Amino acid sequence: ILLTACGSSSTSTNSGGQSETSIEDETSGEVIQAKIGVISYLSGAGAAYGEAITQGLKLAQKEINEKGEVNIELVIEDSAGEAEQAVNAGQKLMADDSILAIIGPTLSTEFFAVAPEADLNGITIMGTSTTADGIPEIGDYVFRNSIPEALAIPAAMEKAVKRTGAKKVAIIYGNDDAFTKAGFEVMKRTAEEMGLEITTIETYQKGQSDYKAQLTKIKNTNPDLVLASALYNEGAVIIDQARKMGITVPFVGGNGFNSPQVIEIAGDAANGLIVGTPYFGDSTDPKIVEFNKKYEEEYGKKPDQFAAQAYDALYIYADALKRAGTGEDRDAFRDALAETKDFEGILGLFSFNEVGDVVMDVTVVEIKDGKFVEFEE
Ligand code: 1QQ
């Protein structure tokens, strides 16, 4: 059941000054016009994720529209990191026939609430930051371009264990969020596969501020590594309190730790965190260097992984639009998107597998002296 639009928290952006009149491509015919709905975590404790994502999208939008082949309008809704608000935003977008497809929401917890309905309504939805197992399997209209935890966490754990010779690991995770739970499952499975002893499994809830009970138990079991599946607002506090309690061993984190907010909040306590990502900010790859430069010019700060993935996501949509040849047919767009293969984004070659999941490479990074650096073997 679709709700009709109520209230209006959405913002519509159409950069490049091309909103009023349809402009002609220099070489051939009509510019393909498309309206894309965006559901993003823009207010509340984890708003830095959504801010990075929407900035990445808007930068890509500006460049894509300047090229003149397609003209994308973004209709942006705030989900506040809440599944219910994300569902309301999704229903509003789906009910608007002029919206071709959706990007977001930000969290897997939100995405699991919205995507089944999008799939039923035959509107394409793609996550740019959703990493839990089972996302693209929701349905034919459901995609993501974010590297799943099932790829990123084992890559980070393997490097961490190889370097430290770790045999014993403790795990801490949030047990009320789809992403933190999914990350935990991957950590546990990977530890078992690697023959590591799990000394203790500790849980916390969203918004918790005191982790002493959990960290005391972890400390008493003397692990060689701590595996943490958390969003940045809780994860940064956990690592900070751990260091203050004398837990000095490296942390291996899930995707939530890929935000510079971890360093912002935890400061030096974040040193020794190891995490898998498709984006390494200080990469010498010319595509990344160029992206960083343009992003800094636009927003006065460095991009992060979430901005980079969102930036690539809109280019992936634009590429599908060109192949679909229309910005109005939801099915034609879905079919063109599904065929994305070896698309050259700033994060490397990108393809979807048969279920709409990501095929691409993972980099492992660590925080050293208050900075993400490439993990050295
Ligand atoms: C998920 C995530 C979060 C870290 C996105 C911000 O990976 O919810 O799947």
Side-chain angles (χ1 to χ4, degrees):
I1 295 168
L2 286 179
L3 299 179
T4 44
C6 50
S8 187
S9 61
S10 58
T11 53
S12 183
T13 73
N14 198 326
S15 58
Q18 301 167 343
S19 53
E20 294 91 24
T21 50
S22 84
I23 48 155
E24 298 280 310
D25 187 293
E26 291 133 20
T27 49
S28 68
E30 282 282 304
V31 175
I32 301 166
Q33 306 279 343
K35 233 165 145 181
I36 305 294
V38 177
I39 310 170
S40 197
Y41 189 169
L42 287 169
S43 61
Y49 290 129
E51 183 183 300
I53 288 166
T54 49
Q55 289 181 340
L57 290 174
K58 284 182 188 171
L59 179 60
Q61 177 199 23
K62 184 178 155 195
E63 295 172 11
I64 290 164
N65 289 357
E66 272 167 12
K67 285 180 196 143
E69 258 181 284
V70 290
N71 191 275
I72 295 176
E73 186 181 336
L74 298 176
V75 180
I76 301 173
E77 301 283 341
D78 178 15
S79 64
E82 303 286 346
E84 211 181 296
Q85 194 166 322
V87 166
N88 290 338
Q91 288 173 338
K92 185 172 159 186
L93 295 169
M94 289 172 220
D96 180 346
D97 287 337
S98 72
I99 303 257
L100 178 71
I102 297 173
I103 286 181
T106 305
L107 304 178
S108 291
T109 281
E110 302 171 306
F111 199 93
F112 280 121
V114 176
E117 205 167 325
D119 191 57
L120 273 176
N121 278 293
I123 184 166
T124 296
I125 185 163
M126 183 164 93
T128 73
S129 56
T130 41
T131 60
D133 277 348
I135 294 263
E137 289 83 356
I138 292 169
D140 287 348
Y141 290 83
V142 184
F143 300 81
R144 70 167 148 208
N145 80 320
S146 38
I147 287 192
E149 290 290 53
L151 289 180
I153 288 174
M157 281 176 66
E158 266 155 39
K159 296 230 177 196
V161 167
K162 201 167 160 205
R163 179 201 277 168
T164 60
K167 299 205 160 41
K168 299 192 299 178
V169 297
I171 309 181
I172 181 164
Y173 75 100
N175 65 1
D176 56 356
D177 173 272
F179 152 75
T180 56
K181 284 197 283 189
F184 158 68
E185 294 297 339
V186 176
M187 287 169 175
K188 183 164 171 282
R189 183 167 84 215
T190 309
E192 285 163 1
E193 281 167 12
M194 292 176 77
L196 301 167
E197 180 196 334
I198 299 172
T199 63
T200 183
I201 295 171
E202 299 298 323
T203 60
Y204 68 85
Q205 278 82 47
K206 212 164 256 187
Q208 193 168 320
S209 55
D210 183 352
Y211 301 89
K212 258 186 231 91
Q214 289 89 339
L215 292 169
T216 301
K217 283 197 203 149
I218 287 176
K219 191 173 180 207
N220 289 341
T221 64
N222 220 3
D224 304 316
L225 292 174
V226 178
L227 313 179
S229 183
L231 293 167
Y232 72 71
N233 40 312
E234 288 94 7
V237 177
I238 290 170
I239 198 166
D240 186 38
Q241 289 182 7
R243 299 299 184 228
K244 286 186 175 127
M245 289 172 62
I247 300 172
T248 57
V249 294
F251 269 59
V252 177
N255 190 44
F257 285 93
N258 273 317
S259 170
Q261 284 298 309
V262 172
I263 299 169
E264 188 79 25
I265 296 166
D268 285 345
N271 290 335
L273 175 85
I274 299 161
V275 58
T277 176
Y279 169 80
F280 168 56
D282 286 333
S283 164
T284 52
D285 180 333
K287 290 199 298 302
I288 297 286
V289 172
E290 170 78 3
F291 166 68
N292 290 345
K293 190 172 148 260
K294 288 186 294 195
Y295 191 97
E296 272 197 79
E297 272 167 21
E298 194 76 17
Y299 303 112
K301 65 174 174 193
K302 288 194 165 75
D304 64 16
Q305 173 210 268
F306 297 95
Q309 281 178 321
Y311 178 87
D312 266 359
L314 201 68
Y315 269 98
I316 290 167
Y317 262 32
D319 175 61
L321 267 171
K322 286 181 217 164
R323 284 183 285 107
T326 164
E328 278 159 23
D329 184 334
R330 288 178 173 179
D331 287 330
F333 178 73
R334 182 262 157 219
D335 291 346
L337 184 69
E339 275 165 20
T340 302
K341 196 156 180 3
D342 293 333
F343 175 80
E344 253 196 270
I346 54 166
L347 298 178
L349 284 187
F350 181 86
S351 304
F352 290 117
N353 67 11
E354 58 291 342
V355 292
D357 208 352
V358 171
V359 183
M360 68 188 298
D361 292 333
V362 183
T363 307
V364 176
V365 297
E366 63 184 319
I367 300 178
K368 237 176 160 173
D369 302 323
K371 245 177 86 116
F372 281 104
V373 297
E374 214 158 355
F375 186 93
E376 282 168 39
E377 301 277 328

